[in-house]
Amino acid sequence: KELAYPIKVMDRSTQRMLRLINQLLEFRKMQNNKLVLSLEETDVIVFLYDIFLSFRETAESKEMEFKFIPSVSSYPMFVDKGKLDKIVYNLLSNAFKYTPEGGKIVCSVDVEEETKKLIISVSDTGIGIPINKQGKIFERFYQIESEHVGSGIGLSLVQRLVELHHGRIELDSEEGKGSTFSVYLPQDINIYKSSELASNDAKNEEDQ
């Protein structure tokens, strides 16, 4: 029992380091135009909830209100799990980085049947982003003044990964009040190439 907590902390640190390394590798692929999708059918609600849980202890330590609000309890659709993890993990990391203790962060997931979109939103009550800076935050290496959001490679990679899914990302922010990043992903598998399916990747490897 005495070792359980230190081991848990070490495991979280290792997972964070692995995520960072994978993000850097993905960024290198983005620079070389070598990003490709590997889609597999996934229950996105369960998948996103697992990412949410990885931040829960951080929320508790900062005495923050932290909520996961899905519109449905389960929803299978085709996504690239590794890339979706990077998208949501980056958005949540930014929210925690720029939201003070006692603040509020909400991750909501909505299945919009009318437009055939999955909408993932991360809202915070953090420092917000000045309106004259909002158009630049997705630029590669762009960094706003130190007291505001520094996107580094995170947000530029997030935008590219969203676009790779034929989706889009939007920002609604007010300085001093908070920000909401909303990711819109298509539900229709038919818009993707057959080569982008993980099952076809495996088949292609067998054929070679």
Coordinates of all heavy atoms in Angstrom, one line a residue, residues 13-102:
S13 N 3.3 9.9 -14.9 CA 4.5 10.7 -15.5 C 4.9 10.0 -16.8 O 5.3 10.7 -17.8 CB 5.6 10.8 -14.5 OG 5.2 11.5 -13.4
T14 N 5.0 8.7 -16.7 CA 5.5 7.9 -17.9 C 4.5 8.1 -19.1 O 4.9 8.3 -20.2 CB 5.6 6.4 -17.6 OG1 6.5 6.3 -16.5 CG2 6.1 5.6 -18.8
Q15 N 3.2 8.0 -18.7 CA 2.2 8.2 -19.8 C 2.3 9.6 -20.4 O 2.1 9.7 -21.6 CB 0.8 8.0 -19.2 CG 0.5 6.5 -18.8 CD 0.6 5.6 -19.9 OE1 0.2 5.8 -21.1 NE2 1.2 4.4 -19.7
R16 N 2.5 10.6 -19.6 CA 2.6 12.0 -20.1 C 3.8 12.1 -21.0 O 3.8 12.7 -22.1 CB 2.7 13.0 -18.9 CG 1.4 13.4 -18.4 CD 1.5 14.7 -17.5 NE 2.4 14.5 -16.3 CZ 1.9 14.1 -15.2 NH1 0.6 13.9 -15.0 NH2 2.7 13.9 -14.1
M17 N 4.9 11.5 -20.6 CA 6.2 11.5 -21.4 C 6.0 10.8 -22.7 O 6.4 11.3 -23.8 CB 7.3 10.9 -20.6 CG 8.6 10.9 -21.4 SD 9.2 12.6 -21.6 CE 9.6 13.1 -19.9
L18 N 5.3 9.7 -22.7 CA 5.0 8.9 -24.0 C 4.1 9.7 -24.9 O 4.3 9.8 -26.1 CB 4.4 7.6 -23.6 CG 5.3 6.5 -23.1 CD1 4.5 5.3 -22.6 CD2 6.3 6.1 -24.1
R19 N 3.1 10.4 -24.3 CA 2.3 11.3 -25.1 C 3.1 12.4 -25.8 O 2.8 12.7 -26.9 CB 1.1 11.8 -24.3 CG -0.1 10.9 -24.1 CD -1.2 11.6 -23.4 NE -2.5 11.0 -23.7 CZ -3.1 10.2 -22.8 NH1 -2.6 10.0 -21.6 NH2 -4.3 9.7 -23.1
L20 N 4.0 13.0 -25.0 CA 4.8 14.1 -25.5 C 5.7 13.6 -26.7 O 5.8 14.2 -27.7 CB 5.6 14.7 -24.4 CG 6.6 15.8 -24.9 CD1 5.8 17.0 -25.5 CD2 7.4 16.3 -23.7
I21 N 6.3 12.4 -26.5 CA 7.2 11.9 -27.5 C 6.4 11.6 -28.8 O 6.8 11.9 -29.9 CB 7.9 10.6 -27.0 CG1 8.9 10.9 -25.9 CG2 8.6 9.9 -28.2 CD1 9.4 9.7 -25.2
N22 N 5.2 11.0 -28.6 CA 4.3 10.7 -29.7 C 3.9 11.9 -30.5 O 3.8 12.0 -31.7 CB 3.1 9.8 -29.3 CG 3.5 8.4 -29.0 OD1 4.4 7.9 -29.6 ND2 2.8 7.8 -28.1
Q23 N 3.6 13.0 -29.7 CA 3.2 14.2 -30.3 C 4.3 14.8 -31.1 O 4.1 15.3 -32.2 CB 2.8 15.2 -29.2 CG 2.4 16.6 -29.7 CD 1.9 17.5 -28.6 OE1 1.0 17.1 -27.8 NE2 2.4 18.7 -28.5
L24 N 5.6 14.8 -30.6 CA 6.7 15.3 -31.4 C 6.9 14.5 -32.6 O 7.2 15.1 -33.7 CB 8.0 15.3 -30.5 CG 8.0 16.2 -29.3 CD1 9.2 16.0 -28.4 CD2 8.0 17.7 -29.8
L25 N 6.8 13.2 -32.6 CA 6.9 12.3 -33.8 C 5.8 12.7 -34.8 O 6.1 12.7 -36.0 CB 6.8 10.9 -33.4 CG 8.0 10.3 -32.6 CD1 7.7 8.9 -32.1 CD2 9.3 10.3 -33.4
E26 N 4.6 12.9 -34.3 CA 3.5 13.3 -35.2 C 3.7 14.6 -35.8 O 3.4 14.8 -37.0 CB 2.2 13.3 -34.3 CG 0.9 13.1 -35.2 CD 0.7 11.6 -35.4 OE1 1.6 10.8 -35.5 OE2 -0.5 11.2 -35.6
F27 N 4.3 15.5 -35.0 CA 4.6 16.9 -35.5 C 5.7 16.8 -36.7 O 5.6 17.5 -37.7 CB 5.1 17.8 -34.4 CG 5.4 19.2 -34.9 CD1 4.4 20.0 -35.2 CD2 6.7 19.6 -34.9 CE1 4.7 21.3 -35.7 CE2 7.0 20.9 -35.4 CZ 6.0 21.8 -35.7
R28 N 6.6 15.9 -36.5 CA 7.7 15.7 -37.5 C 7.0 15.1 -38.8 O 7.4 15.6 -39.9 CB 8.7 14.7 -37.0 CG 9.9 14.5 -37.9 CD 10.7 15.7 -38.0 NE 11.9 15.5 -38.9 CZ 13.1 15.1 -38.5 NH1 13.3 14.8 -37.3 NH2 14.0 14.9 -39.4
K29 N 6.1 14.2 -38.6 CA 5.4 13.7 -39.8 C 4.6 14.8 -40.5 O 4.5 14.9 -41.7 CB 4.4 12.6 -39.4 CG 5.1 11.3 -39.0 CD 4.1 10.3 -38.5 CE 4.7 9.0 -38.0 NZ 3.7 8.0 -37.5
M30 N 4.0 15.7 -39.7 CA 3.2 16.8 -40.2 C 4.1 17.7 -41.0 O 3.8 18.1 -42.1 CB 2.6 17.6 -39.1 CG 1.7 18.8 -39.6 SD 0.8 19.6 -38.3 CE 2.2 20.7 -37.6
Q31 N 5.3 18.0 -40.5 CA 6.3 18.8 -41.3 C 6.7 18.2 -42.6 O 6.9 18.9 -43.6 CB 7.6 19.0 -40.4 CG 7.4 20.0 -39.3 CD 8.7 20.2 -38.5 OE1 9.3 19.2 -38.1 NE2 9.1 21.4 -38.4
N32 N 6.7 16.8 -42.6 CA 7.2 16.1 -43.8 C 6.0 15.7 -44.7 O 6.1 14.9 -45.6 CB 8.0 14.9 -43.5 CG 9.3 15.3 -42.8 OD1 9.9 16.4 -43.1 ND2 9.8 14.5 -41.9
N33 N 4.8 16.1 -44.3 CA 3.5 15.8 -45.0 C 3.4 14.2 -45.1 O 3.0 13.7 -46.2 CB 3.6 16.3 -46.5 CG 3.5 17.9 -46.5 OD1 2.7 18.4 -45.7 ND2 4.3 18.5 -47.3
K34 N 3.6 13.6 -44.0 CA 3.5 12.1 -44.0 C 2.4 11.6 -43.0 O 2.4 10.5 -42.6 CB 4.9 11.5 -43.6 CG 5.9 11.6 -44.8 CD 7.1 10.9 -44.5 CE 8.1 11.0 -45.7 NZ 9.4 10.3 -45.4
L35 N 1.6 12.5 -42.6 CA 0.5 12.1 -41.6 C -0.6 11.3 -42.4 O -1.0 11.7 -43.5 CB -0.2 13.3 -41.0 CG 0.6 14.1 -39.9 CD1 -0.2 15.3 -39.5 CD2 0.7 13.1 -38.7
V36 N -0.9 10.2 -41.9 CA -1.9 9.3 -42.5 C -2.9 8.8 -41.4 O -2.5 8.7 -40.2 CB -1.4 8.1 -43.3 CG1 -0.6 8.6 -44.5 CG2 -0.5 7.3 -42.4
L37 N -4.1 8.6 -41.8 CA -5.1 8.1 -40.8 C -5.1 6.6 -40.8 O -4.8 5.9 -41.8 CB -6.5 8.5 -41.2 CG -6.9 10.0 -41.0 CD1 -8.3 10.3 -41.6 CD2 -6.8 10.4 -39.6
S38 N -5.4 6.0 -39.6 CA -5.6 4.6 -39.4 C -6.9 4.4 -38.6 O -6.9 4.4 -37.4 CB -4.4 4.0 -38.7 OG -4.6 2.6 -38.6
L39 N -8.0 4.4 -39.3 CA -9.3 4.4 -38.7 C -9.8 3.1 -38.2 O -9.7 2.1 -38.9 CB -10.4 5.0 -39.6 CG -10.1 6.4 -40.2 CD1 -10.9 6.7 -41.4 CD2 -10.4 7.5 -39.1
E40 N -10.4 3.1 -37.0 CA -11.1 1.8 -36.5 C -12.3 2.2 -35.8 O -12.4 3.3 -35.1 CB -10.1 1.0 -35.7 CG -9.5 1.7 -34.5 CD -8.4 0.9 -33.9 OE1 -8.7 -0.2 -33.4 OE2 -7.2 1.4 -33.7
E41 N -13.3 1.3 -35.8 CA -14.5 1.6 -35.1 C -14.3 1.6 -33.6 O -13.7 0.7 -33.1 CB -15.6 0.6 -35.5 CG -17.0 1.1 -35.0 CD -18.1 0.2 -35.6 OE1 -17.9 -1.0 -35.8 OE2 -19.2 0.8 -35.9
T42 N -14.7 2.7 -33.0 CA -14.4 2.9 -31.5 C -15.7 3.5 -30.9 O -16.3 4.3 -31.5 CB -13.3 3.9 -31.4 OG1 -12.1 3.4 -32.2 CG2 -12.9 4.1 -30.0
D43 N -15.9 3.1 -29.6 CA -16.9 3.8 -28.9 C -16.3 5.1 -28.4 O -15.5 5.1 -27.4 CB -17.4 2.9 -27.7 CG -18.6 3.5 -26.9 OD1 -18.7 4.8 -26.9 OD2 -19.4 2.8 -26.3
V44 N -16.6 6.2 -29.1 CA -15.9 7.4 -28.8 C -16.3 8.0 -27.4 O -15.4 8.7 -26.8 CB -16.2 8.5 -29.8 CG1 -15.5 8.1 -31.1 CG2 -17.7 8.7 -30.0
I45 N -17.4 7.7 -26.9 CA -17.8 8.2 -25.5 C -16.9 7.5 -24.5 O -16.3 8.2 -23.6 CB -19.3 7.9 -25.2 CG1 -20.2 8.4 -26.3 CG2 -19.6 8.5 -23.9 CD1 -20.1 9.9 -26.5
V46 N -16.7 6.2 -24.5 CA -15.9 5.5 -23.6 C -14.4 6.0 -23.8 O -13.7 6.2 -22.8 CB -16.0 4.0 -23.8 CG1 -14.9 3.2 -23.0 CG2 -17.4 3.5 -23.5
F47 N -14.0 6.1 -25.0 CA -12.6 6.5 -25.3 C -12.3 7.9 -24.8 O -11.3 8.1 -24.1 CB -12.4 6.5 -26.8 CG -11.0 6.8 -27.3 CD1 -10.0 5.9 -27.2 CD2 -10.7 8.1 -27.8 CE1 -8.7 6.2 -27.6 CE2 -9.4 8.4 -28.2 CZ -8.4 7.5 -28.1
L48 N -13.2 8.8 -25.0 CA -13.0 10.2 -24.5 C -13.1 10.3 -23.0 O -12.4 11.1 -22.3 CB -14.0 11.1 -25.1 CG -13.8 11.3 -26.7 CD1 -15.0 12.1 -27.3 CD2 -12.5 12.0 -27.0
Y49 N -14.0 9.5 -22.4 CA -14.1 9.4 -20.9 C -12.8 9.0 -20.3 O -12.4 9.5 -19.2 CB -15.3 8.6 -20.5 CG -15.5 8.6 -19.0 CD1 -15.9 9.8 -18.4 CD2 -15.4 7.4 -18.2 CE1 -16.1 9.8 -17.0 CE2 -15.6 7.4 -16.9 CZ -16.0 8.6 -16.3 OH -16.2 8.7 -14.9
D50 N -12.1 8.0 -20.9 CA -10.8 7.6 -20.4 C -9.8 8.7 -20.4 O -9.0 8.9 -19.4 CB -10.3 6.4 -21.2 CG -11.0 5.1 -20.8 OD1 -11.6 5.0 -19.8 OD2 -10.9 4.1 -21.6
I51 N -9.8 9.5 -21.4 CA -8.9 10.7 -21.5 C -9.3 11.7 -20.4 O -8.4 12.2 -19.7 CB -8.9 11.4 -22.8 CG1 -8.5 10.4 -23.9 CG2 -8.0 12.6 -22.9 CD1 -8.7 10.9 -25.3
F52 N -10.6 11.9 -20.2 CA -11.1 12.8 -19.1 C -10.6 12.3 -17.8 O -10.1 13.1 -17.0 CB -12.6 12.8 -19.2 CG -13.3 13.4 -18.0 CD1 -13.5 14.7 -17.8 CD2 -13.8 12.5 -17.0 CE1 -14.1 15.2 -16.7 CE2 -14.4 13.0 -15.8 CZ -14.6 14.4 -15.7
L53 N -10.7 11.0 -17.5 CA -10.3 10.5 -16.2 C -8.8 10.8 -15.9 O -8.4 10.9 -14.7 CB -10.5 9.0 -16.1 CG -12.0 8.6 -16.1 CD1 -12.1 7.1 -16.0 CD2 -12.7 9.2 -14.8
S54 N -7.9 10.8 -17.0 CA -6.5 11.0 -16.7 C -6.2 12.4 -16.2 O -5.1 12.7 -15.7 CB -5.7 10.8 -18.0 OG -6.0 11.8 -19.0
F55 N -7.2 13.4 -16.2 CA -7.0 14.7 -15.7 C -7.8 14.9 -14.4 O -7.6 16.0 -13.8 CB -7.6 15.7 -16.7 CG -6.7 15.9 -17.9 CD1 -6.8 15.1 -19.1 CD2 -5.7 16.9 -17.9 CE1 -6.0 15.3 -20.2 CE2 -4.8 17.1 -19.0 CZ -5.0 16.3 -20.2
R56 N -8.5 13.9 -13.9 CA -9.4 14.2 -12.8 C -8.6 14.5 -11.5 O -9.0 15.4 -10.7 CB -10.3 12.9 -12.5 CG -11.4 13.2 -11.6 CD -12.5 12.3 -11.7 NE -12.1 10.9 -11.4 CZ -13.0 9.9 -11.4 NH1 -14.3 10.1 -11.7 NH2 -12.6 8.7 -11.1
E57 N -7.4 13.8 -11.3 CA -6.6 14.1 -10.1 C -6.1 15.5 -10.2 O -6.0 16.1 -9.1 CB -5.5 13.0 -10.0 CG -4.9 13.0 -8.6 CD -4.0 11.8 -8.4 OE1 -4.5 10.7 -8.6 OE2 -2.8 12.0 -8.0
T58 N -5.7 15.9 -11.3 CA -5.2 17.3 -11.5 C -6.3 18.3 -11.1 O -6.0 19.3 -10.4 CB -4.7 17.6 -12.9 OG1 -3.7 16.6 -13.3 CG2 -4.2 19.0 -13.1
A59 N -7.5 18.0 -11.5 CA -8.6 18.9 -11.2 C -8.8 18.9 -9.7 O -9.1 20.0 -9.1 CB -9.9 18.4 -11.9
E60 N -8.8 17.8 -9.0 CA -9.0 17.7 -7.6 C -7.9 18.5 -6.9 O -8.1 19.2 -5.9 CB -9.0 16.3 -7.1 CG -10.2 15.5 -7.6 CD -10.2 14.0 -7.3 OE1 -9.1 13.6 -6.8 OE2 -11.2 13.3 -7.6
S61 N -6.6 18.4 -7.3 CA -5.5 19.0 -6.6 C -5.6 20.6 -6.8 O -5.2 21.3 -5.9 CB -4.2 18.6 -7.2 OG -4.0 19.0 -8.5
K62 N -6.3 21.0 -7.9 CA -6.4 22.5 -8.1 C -7.8 22.9 -7.6 O -8.2 24.1 -7.8 CB -6.2 22.8 -9.6 CG -4.8 22.6 -10.0 CD -4.6 23.0 -11.5 CE -4.7 24.5 -11.7 NZ -4.4 24.8 -13.2
E63 N -8.6 22.0 -7.0 CA -9.9 22.3 -6.5 C -10.8 22.9 -7.6 O -11.5 23.9 -7.4 CB -9.8 23.2 -5.3 CG -9.1 22.6 -4.1 CD -9.1 23.5 -2.9 OE1 -9.3 24.7 -3.0 OE2 -8.9 22.9 -1.8
M64 N -10.8 22.3 -8.7 CA -11.5 22.8 -9.9 C -12.8 21.9 -10.1 O -12.8 20.7 -9.8 CB -10.6 22.8 -11.1 CG -9.4 23.7 -11.0 SD -8.3 23.4 -12.4 CE -9.2 24.2 -13.7
E65 N -13.8 22.5 -10.7 CA -15.0 21.8 -11.1 C -14.6 21.2 -12.5 O -14.3 22.0 -13.4 CB -16.2 22.7 -11.2 CG -17.5 22.0 -11.5 CD -18.7 23.0 -11.5 OE1 -18.5 24.1 -11.1 OE2 -19.7 22.5 -11.9
F66 N -14.7 19.9 -12.6 CA -14.3 19.3 -13.9 C -15.4 18.3 -14.3 O -15.7 17.3 -13.5 CB -13.0 18.6 -13.6 CG -12.4 17.9 -14.8 CD1 -12.4 18.5 -16.1 CD2 -11.7 16.7 -14.7 CE1 -11.8 18.0 -17.2 CE2 -11.1 16.1 -15.8 CZ -11.2 16.8 -17.1
K67 N -16.0 18.5 -15.4 CA -17.2 17.7 -15.8 C -17.0 17.1 -17.2 O -16.4 17.7 -18.1 CB -18.4 18.5 -15.8 CG -18.9 18.9 -14.4 CD -20.2 19.7 -14.5 CE -20.7 20.0 -13.1 NZ -22.0 20.7 -13.1
F68 N -17.5 15.9 -17.4 CA -17.6 15.2 -18.7 C -19.1 15.1 -19.0 O -19.8 14.4 -18.3 CB -16.9 13.9 -18.6 CG -17.0 13.1 -19.9 CD1 -16.1 13.5 -21.0 CD2 -17.8 12.0 -20.1 CE1 -16.2 12.8 -22.2 CE2 -17.8 11.3 -21.3 CZ -17.0 11.7 -22.4
I69 N -19.6 15.7 -20.1 CA -21.0 15.7 -20.4 C -21.2 15.2 -21.8 O -21.1 15.9 -22.8 CB -21.6 17.1 -20.2 CG1 -21.3 17.7 -18.8 CG2 -23.1 17.1 -20.5 CD1 -21.7 19.1 -18.7
P70 N -21.6 13.9 -21.9 CA -21.9 13.3 -23.2 C -23.4 13.4 -23.5 O -24.2 13.3 -22.6 CB -21.4 11.9 -23.1 CG -21.6 11.6 -21.7 CD -21.5 12.8 -20.9
S71 N -23.8 13.6 -24.8 CA -25.2 13.6 -25.1 C -25.8 12.2 -25.1 O -27.0 12.0 -25.1 CB -25.4 14.3 -26.4 OG -24.8 13.6 -27.5
V72 N -24.9 11.2 -25.3 CA -25.4 9.8 -25.3 C -24.4 9.0 -24.5 O -23.3 9.4 -24.2 CB -25.4 9.2 -26.7 CG1 -26.5 9.9 -27.6 CG2 -24.1 9.4 -27.5
S73 N -24.8 7.8 -24.0 CA -23.9 7.0 -23.2 C -22.9 6.2 -24.0 O -21.9 5.7 -23.4 CB -24.7 6.1 -22.3 OG -25.5 5.2 -23.0
S74 N -23.2 6.0 -25.3 CA -22.3 5.2 -26.1 C -22.5 5.6 -27.5 O -23.6 5.9 -28.0 CB -22.7 3.7 -25.9 OG -21.9 2.9 -26.8
Y75 N -21.4 5.6 -28.3 CA -21.5 6.0 -29.7 C -20.3 5.4 -30.5 O -19.2 6.0 -30.4 CB -21.6 7.5 -29.9 CG -22.1 7.8 -31.3 CD1 -23.4 7.6 -31.7 CD2 -21.2 8.3 -32.3 CE1 -23.8 7.9 -33.0 CE2 -21.6 8.5 -33.6 CZ -22.9 8.3 -33.9 OH -23.3 8.6 -35.2
P76 N -20.6 4.3 -31.3 CA -19.5 3.8 -32.1 C -19.3 4.6 -33.4 O -20.3 4.8 -34.1 CB -19.9 2.4 -32.3 CG -21.4 2.4 -32.2 CD -21.8 3.5 -31.3
M77 N -18.1 4.9 -33.7 CA -17.8 5.6 -35.0 C -16.4 5.3 -35.4 O -15.6 4.9 -34.5 CB -18.2 7.0 -35.1 CG -17.4 7.9 -34.1 SD -17.8 9.7 -34.3 CE -16.9 10.2 -35.7
F78 N -16.0 5.6 -36.6 CA -14.6 5.4 -37.1 C -13.8 6.6 -36.8 O -14.1 7.7 -37.3 CB -14.6 5.0 -38.6 CG -15.0 3.6 -38.8 CD1 -16.3 3.2 -39.0 CD2 -14.0 2.6 -38.9 CE1 -16.7 1.9 -39.2 CE2 -14.4 1.3 -39.2 CZ -15.7 0.9 -39.3
V79 N -12.7 6.4 -36.0 CA -11.7 7.4 -35.7 C -10.3 6.8 -35.7 O -10.2 5.6 -35.6 CB -12.0 8.1 -34.4 CG1 -13.3 8.9 -34.4 CG2 -12.0 7.1 -33.2
D80 N -9.4 7.7 -35.8 CA -8.0 7.3 -35.6 C -7.7 7.6 -34.1 O -7.6 8.7 -33.7 CB -7.0 8.1 -36.4 CG -5.6 7.7 -36.3 OD1 -5.1 7.5 -35.1 OD2 -4.9 7.6 -37.3
K81 N -7.7 6.5 -33.3 CA -7.6 6.7 -31.8 C -6.4 7.5 -31.4 O -6.5 8.3 -30.5 CB -7.7 5.3 -31.1 CG -9.1 4.6 -31.3 CD -9.3 3.5 -30.3 CE -8.3 2.4 -30.6 NZ -8.7 1.2 -29.7
G82 N -5.2 7.2 -32.0 CA -4.0 7.8 -31.6 C -4.1 9.3 -31.8 O -3.7 10.2 -31.0
K83 N -4.7 9.7 -33.0 CA -4.8 11.1 -33.3 C -5.9 11.8 -32.5 O -5.7 13.0 -32.1 CB -5.0 11.3 -34.8 CG -3.7 10.8 -35.6 CD -4.0 10.8 -37.1 CE -2.7 10.6 -37.8 NZ -2.0 9.3 -37.4
L84 N -7.0 11.1 -32.3 CA -8.0 11.7 -31.5 C -7.5 11.9 -30.0 O -7.9 13.0 -29.4 CB -9.3 10.8 -31.5 CG -10.5 11.4 -30.7 CD1 -10.9 12.8 -31.3 CD2 -11.7 10.4 -30.8
D85 N -6.7 11.0 -29.5 CA -6.2 11.2 -28.2 C -5.3 12.5 -28.1 O -5.4 13.3 -27.2 CB -5.3 10.0 -27.8 CG -4.6 10.1 -26.5 OD1 -3.5 10.7 -26.4 OD2 -5.2 9.6 -25.5
K86 N -4.5 12.7 -29.2 CA -3.6 13.9 -29.2 C -4.5 15.2 -29.2 O -4.1 16.2 -28.6 CB -2.7 13.8 -30.4 CG -1.6 12.7 -30.2 CD -0.7 12.7 -31.5 CE 0.3 11.5 -31.3 NZ -0.3 10.2 -31.3
I87 N -5.5 15.1 -30.0 CA -6.4 16.3 -30.1 C -7.0 16.7 -28.8 O -6.9 17.8 -28.3 CB -7.6 16.0 -31.1 CG1 -7.0 15.9 -32.6 CG2 -8.6 17.1 -31.1 CD1 -8.0 15.4 -33.6
V88 N -7.7 15.7 -28.1 CA -8.4 16.0 -26.9 C -7.4 16.2 -25.7 O -7.6 17.1 -24.9 CB -9.4 14.9 -26.6 CG1 -10.1 15.2 -25.3 CG2 -10.4 14.8 -27.7
Y89 N -6.3 15.5 -25.7 CA -5.4 15.6 -24.6 C -4.7 17.0 -24.6 O -4.6 17.7 -23.6 CB -4.3 14.5 -24.7 CG -3.5 14.4 -23.4 CD1 -3.9 13.6 -22.4 CD2 -2.3 15.1 -23.3 CE1 -3.1 13.4 -21.2 CE2 -1.5 15.0 -22.1 CZ -2.0 14.2 -21.1 OH -1.2 14.1 -19.9
N90 N -4.4 17.5 -25.8 CA -3.8 18.8 -26.0 C -4.8 19.9 -25.5 O -4.4 20.9 -24.9 CB -3.5 19.1 -27.5 CG -2.0 18.8 -27.7 OD1 -1.1 19.5 -27.2 ND2 -1.7 17.8 -28.5
L91 N -6.1 19.8 -25.9 CA -7.1 20.8 -25.6 C -7.3 20.8 -24.1 O -7.4 21.9 -23.5 CB -8.4 20.5 -26.3 CG -8.3 20.7 -27.9 CD1 -9.7 20.4 -28.5 CD2 -7.9 22.1 -28.2
L92 N -7.4 19.7 -23.4 CA -7.5 19.6 -22.0 C -6.3 20.1 -21.3 O -6.4 20.9 -20.3 CB -7.9 18.2 -21.5 CG -9.3 17.7 -21.8 CD1 -9.5 16.2 -21.5 CD2 -10.3 18.5 -21.0
S93 N -5.1 19.8 -21.8 CA -3.9 20.3 -21.2 C -3.8 21.8 -21.2 O -3.5 22.4 -20.2 CB -2.7 19.7 -21.9 OG -2.5 18.3 -21.7
N94 N -4.2 22.4 -22.3 CA -4.2 23.9 -22.4 C -5.2 24.5 -21.4 O -5.0 25.5 -20.8 CB -4.6 24.3 -23.8 CG -3.3 24.5 -24.7 OD1 -2.2 24.5 -24.2 ND2 -3.5 24.8 -26.0
A95 N -6.4 23.8 -21.4 CA -7.4 24.3 -20.5 C -6.9 24.3 -19.0 O -7.1 25.3 -18.3 CB -8.7 23.5 -20.6
F96 N -6.3 23.3 -18.6 CA -5.8 23.2 -17.2 C -4.6 24.2 -17.0 O -4.4 24.8 -15.9 CB -5.3 21.8 -16.9 CG -6.4 20.9 -16.4 CD1 -7.1 20.1 -17.3 CD2 -6.8 21.0 -15.1 CE1 -8.2 19.3 -16.8 CE2 -7.9 20.2 -14.6 CZ -8.6 19.4 -15.5
K97 N -3.8 24.4 -18.1 CA -2.6 25.3 -17.9 C -3.0 26.7 -17.7 O -2.4 27.4 -17.0 CB -1.8 25.1 -19.2 CG -0.4 25.9 -19.1 CD 0.4 25.6 -20.4 CE 1.7 26.2 -20.3 NZ 2.6 26.0 -21.5
Y98 N -4.1 27.1 -18.3 CA -4.5 28.5 -18.3 C -5.8 28.8 -17.5 O -6.4 29.9 -17.6 CB -4.7 29.0 -19.7 CG -3.4 28.9 -20.5 CD1 -3.2 28.0 -21.5 CD2 -2.3 29.8 -20.2 CE1 -1.9 27.8 -22.1 CE2 -1.1 29.6 -20.8 CZ -0.9 28.7 -21.8 OH 0.3 28.6 -22.4
T99 N -6.2 27.8 -16.7 CA -7.3 28.1 -15.8 C -6.9 28.0 -14.3 O -6.2 27.0 -13.9 CB -8.4 27.0 -16.0 OG1 -8.8 27.0 -17.4 CG2 -9.6 27.2 -15.1
P100 N -7.1 29.0 -13.6 CA -6.6 29.1 -12.2 C -7.3 28.1 -11.3 O -8.4 27.6 -11.6 CB -6.9 30.6 -11.8 CG -8.0 31.0 -12.7 CD -7.9 30.3 -14.0
E101 N -6.7 28.0 -10.1 CA -7.4 27.1 -9.1 C -8.8 27.6 -8.8 O -9.0 28.8 -8.8 CB -6.5 27.1 -7.8 CG -5.2 26.4 -8.0 CD -4.4 26.2 -6.7 OE1 -5.1 26.6 -5.6 OE2 -3.3 25.8 -6.7
G102 N -9.7 26.6 -8.6 CA -11.0 26.9 -8.3 C -11.9 27.2 -9.5 O -13.1 27.5 -9.4

